[in-house]
Amino acid sequence: MTTQQAPPEKTDAETVIRTENVTKRFGGLVAVDSVDMHVDHGEIVGLIGPNGAGKSTLFNCITGTLPADEGHIHLRDEEITGWPEHRIAGAGLGRMFQQTRVYREMSVRENLIASAQRNNRFLAQFRRPDEATLDRADELLAYVDLDGLADVRAGRMSFGQQKLLEFAMALMADPEILLMDEPAGGINPSMIEQLLDYIRETNTEEDVTILLIEHNMDFVMEIADRIYALAHGERIAEGTPEEIQSDERVLDAYLGRE
Amino acid sequence: MVVQEFVQFTVNGLLVGSLFATIAVGFALIWGVVDIINLAHGEMVMLGGYASYWLVQVAAGGEASLLVALGSIPVAIAVMYAIGYLLQRLLVQQVSDASVFLTLLITFGISIAIQQLAIIAWSADPRSTPVALADPSMSVAGIVVPKLKSVAFVGALVLTALLWVYLQRTRRGRAIRAVAQNPQAAELVGIDVEHTRAVTFGLSAAIAGGAGGFIGMILSLRPQMGLIYTLKSFVIVVFGGIGSIPGALVGGLALGAVEQLVTGFISSTWTLAVSFSLLIVLLVVKPSGLFGQSIEGGDGGTRSGSSLALATPDSLREVALLVAGVGAVAAAVAVVVLGWLDIASLTVWAAILGPAGVLCLLWATVLDGERLWALFGLVVVTLALLQLSGPLPAADASAMLVVIGALAILWDVALDRARQVLDRSARHGWALLAAFAVVAVIVKAAGLLGQFWTTVAIQLYIFGVLALSWDLLGGQTGYPSFGNMAFFGVGAYTSAILFKTYGVSLPLSFAAAALAALVFAAVIGLLVLRLQGGYFAIATLGVLLVAIQVARNLDITGGPDGIILLDVPPQSVFYYALLGTLVAEVAVVYYLLGSRFGYVLNTIRDDEGKAIAMGINTTYYKTAAWMLAALFTGLVGAMWAPYNTFVDPQQAFNTAWNVEFIVMAFLGGTGTIAGPVLGAFGLWALVLQIDTFFPGVQLIVLGLVVIVTVVQFPDGVVGQLRERASAMEYYKHGGGAAGDPASDADIEPEGGDD
């Protein structure tokens, strides 16, 4: 498994994720209907749509959790359609789940060390974690304010703390692009500002491109550079937050007008 | 002619298969409603069978008329209902929200305890309920149809139909179905979930018991018959689909037919091997859609959280602590005093020890008390049992009690100290291991170990390796295998055959045997490692049972008689070889767990779906862990064969050991290194005592140990220490209280999106 890339062409290098015509069916239901989208380097892109619009399914197709029935998916200039999920993740595509998932029985620090899986190879795993990994883990722990809890079993922490840990884990994997499924979902309103800051800093300082699903409209309008709207599996709109807010089709989809 | 035989076998199979189906329906009921794979289900069949048998004996004194025999069935059903209800309420309920593995372990504990009780009560001889029929069979179009089997067939169908009507038409039946679908929602609309689950357990035991009554009439009853019926039920349910009564019926009839056909056309010795191979194939081929990991990624992480959170008010707890503590101390004092005075009056012993121990146990299990007291109580009860069989050497008894009592006090008083010791030993792992190895070699070389203690040490090393190997996959990776003895047996047979038949030197045959176990594991792993939770556990158990049958049937393995090995090296050679194996394995595991590999294994255990999403190819790592475990298990098996000078299917695939080392790993603390090894040493010492002093009941005690451990020590001894350390760390850093405004008041994550 190699993730080394040929020297990218100038134009393509800007695009981190590109989907062409991606379609996913569950029996007779077309959950994702030939969706084209792309996320460029350095962007924060929002993916919105009413319940059942196919957002999470599209996510699952991109990450390889579900095989797409049709279409192509590219990460940088490599086609990743049909790759197994772990390989796509190892190639630099990070993911945070809608429901926070950490390794509950492992300590907070162990969670981070175990998350450094970018470009991993089987034999490399028989060595001890190197200094760089340990330092990076400590750095990220300090960043999300969990350094006092480094040796605590992750499952013991509160939900909010686990969310922060999961965020640090995603960064630990050193992704080029991070897919976040409802980062603000279920979060205490007082934490939302903090989360916005974290995401922005990740985007600018860590140079991570971000694609996020969000139901909290204030949140997504505030943070996203660009937004895609889905309804019934189809892409119905694309544009800046301002454009999306005034888009007739988006309003129709949300208000249930047909 | 062949056609007629075929039809005849099929008819026989269908008649018997209806009973399998009925039993499977009960099994599926618990699985669906209580979400537990009940490994003691077969014991319900067995108990029901004996209940009916006993009733017939009392009522008729010998051969009974069909009417009397049928009359015994409802009584057996009623008895089994009560037993099932109580089992759920008293034991299974304690772990109903815990991990799959714990529920498997506790039902396994119940299973072996009941089995051994049945052996004591009714002896291991097979028997069957005699029913007098004037004309035992009738003939339909050239096919012989035994009347009794037809009656059983109809009876089985009636039982299943009654259950179906109950579930569909009654209020309680609807409640059961509601709980099966969503316990929380059921609770919200006013259903008493725990009561409903207990009723379900009762119904399941009742229908199994009813079928057991028929089995006693048409087949035979043995105390050890349970496991086979449990596994058959599993095959049928997997085949027919969980929660589908028609599916179970079809599956049961099909299984019965297949078994009769195999018996008729091949040989009855292959019947079990065929049905369990069928199970493994079915599990691998069919259910990928049933429980694919993408659907419900990590169900392993749902262990019921903090065991420190107390269900009872503090004051009540303290009173209970006082009572149990005083009782335990009084019992210890009494034992010491009585022991030194050499008063061996059994009644006095039993009168003092029994109640004290029971008190400890009750308090510990019911009120969620301190874990070590529970074990203490268990030991006291054990001693009381031992005393009933014959007086124990007073010095031994008092020493055991004093040691355990001291441990219990240490546990409570010096927790911080214990934690420091643990931390320090973790830092100095290599030094400790080296010290252990050097001491073990010196003690032996200097001749300080006599014959007896060398034997003991060899056994300890064997179990140390077995428990640690099991834990590598079960504890570290979250794949609890119930078939590790298959590797042991493969290793034992390979080295025995190479040594005896081909004259290969022992070291070479050990190496070849370890390799054989490794290859065997790789092949089996390809099939079973795709399964998760209960499916994985049962599939591995199936592998073990098939292995036993194969060894019994082949010529090269010497069939049921096995292989006798002569001209083997002296005991001391095995001492060093096994010591070396144990030290080597501890070293390997210790190194690996510190490497990234160890982290990866733990991520698979905690949330395999997440691990995959984080970029880990989990298939590689779990297969590697599984093969490593097989390598060491096979190597020990290979050494054990010449040491034992004798290999036969019963011993090489020893099913009692298979449970013992799981319990050892579990007792000491899964997911640690010290835990399994120390657990192996500790439990083995206990088993030795029981084996020596009271050979009839070791499985009962083992079952009790399992049950108490599962309920009271869900993390094992070492694991419990760690958990406490983690809890202290959390609160020390203000984790729960002031530090984070978003602690318990957090909004829980919302439901699914798409």
Side-chain angles (χ1 to χ4, degrees), chain B residues 466-482:
Chain B
L466 293 182
L468 191 57
S469 300
W470 180 86
D471 191 56
L472 192 59
L473 200 72
Q476 300 288 358
T477 321
Y479 278 77
S481 153
F482 279 73

Side-chain angles (χ1 to χ4, degrees), chain A residues 101 105 116 125-126 153 156, chain B residues 591 596-597 606-607 723:
Chain A
R101 287 165 80 172
E105 302 295 319
Q125 304 279 8
F126 292 95
R153 194 169 65 78
R156 175 171 282 289
Chain B
Y591 174 77
R596 302 170 55 89
F597 183 75
D606 284 1
D607 189 339
E723 173 59 25

Side-chain angles (χ1 to χ4, degrees), chain B residues 232-285:
Chain B
K232 278 183 183 164
S233 303
F234 193 86
V235 181
I236 293 165
V237 172
V238 169
F239 180 81
I242 300 165
S244 156
I245 289 184
L249 272 178
V250 173
L253 296 175
L255 184 70
V258 167
E259 287 198 342
Q260 284 299 316
L261 289 172
V262 171
T263 306
F265 285 113
I266 306 172
S267 152
S268 67
T269 55
W270 284 102
T271 318
L272 282 181
V274 168
S275 27
F276 295 134
S277 302
L278 211 67
L279 161 72
I280 298 166
V281 172
L282 261 178
L283 276 174
V284 173
V285 176

Side-chain angles (χ1 to χ4, degrees), chain B residues 365-426:
Chain B
T365 22
V366 177
L367 291 180
D368 186 29
E370 287 302 327
R371 275 58 176 147
L372 214 67
W373 290 109
L375 283 193
F376 185 64
L378 184 72
V379 172
V380 174
V381 171
T382 311
L383 285 174
L385 276 176
L386 293 180
Q387 287 306 323
L388 288 178
S389 75
L392 193 68
D396 278 15
S398 39
M400 266 169 84
L401 280 180
V402 168
V403 168
I404 293 173
L407 273 177
I409 290 164
L410 253 182
W411 184 264
D412 257 5
V413 178
L415 187 73
D416 264 338
R417 183 62 52 82
R419 193 186 134 208
Q420 283 165 13
V421 171
L422 190 74
D423 278 357
R424 211 172 303 137
S425 51

Side-chain angles (χ1 to χ4, degrees), chain B residues 212-384:
Chain B
F214 286 116
I215 283 178
M217 293 174 210
I218 63 169
L219 300 170
S220 70
L221 300 170
R222 280 191 320 135
Q224 304 96 324
M225 68 194 257
L227 183 58
I228 288 171
Y229 284 96
T230 305
L231 285 165
K232 278 183 183 164
S233 303
F234 193 86
V235 181
I236 293 165
V237 172
V238 169
F239 180 81
I242 300 165
S244 156
I245 289 184
L249 272 178
V250 173
L253 296 175
L255 184 70
V258 167
E259 287 198 342
Q260 284 299 316
L261 289 172
V262 171
T263 306
F265 285 113
I266 306 172
S267 152
S268 67
T269 55
W270 284 102
T271 318
L272 282 181
V274 168
S275 27
F276 295 134
S277 302
L278 211 67
L279 161 72
I280 298 166
V281 172
L282 261 178
L283 276 174
V284 173
V285 176
K286 198 200 160 202
S288 56
L290 269 180
F291 61 100
Q293 16 173 282
S294 53
I295 299 170
E296 38 188 2
D299 64 338
T302 52
R303 187 175 292 172
S304 55
S306 142
S307 41
L308 291 172
L310 297 166
T312 45
D314 277 353
S315 54
L316 180 57
R317 207 178 152 258
E318 264 156 31
V319 172
L321 178 65
L322 202 68
V323 172
V326 170
V329 171
V333 171
V335 168
V336 175
V337 172
L338 290 175
W340 289 119
L341 292 179
D342 250 0
I343 298 175
S345 159
L346 301 185
T347 39
V348 176
W349 280 88
I352 295 173
L353 287 175
V358 167
L359 207 63
C360 281
L361 272 178
L362 259 185
W363 172 72
T365 22
V366 177
L367 291 180
D368 186 29
E370 287 302 327
R371 275 58 176 147
L372 214 67
W373 290 109
L375 283 193
F376 185 64
L378 184 72
V379 172
V380 174
V381 171
T382 311
L383 285 174

Side-chain angles (χ1 to χ4, degrees), chain B residues 79-91:
Chain B
V79 170
M80 292 317 298
Y81 178 83
I83 291 180
Y85 186 92
L86 288 176
L87 272 180
Q88 164 72 14
R89 268 280 145 124
L90 295 181
L91 294 174

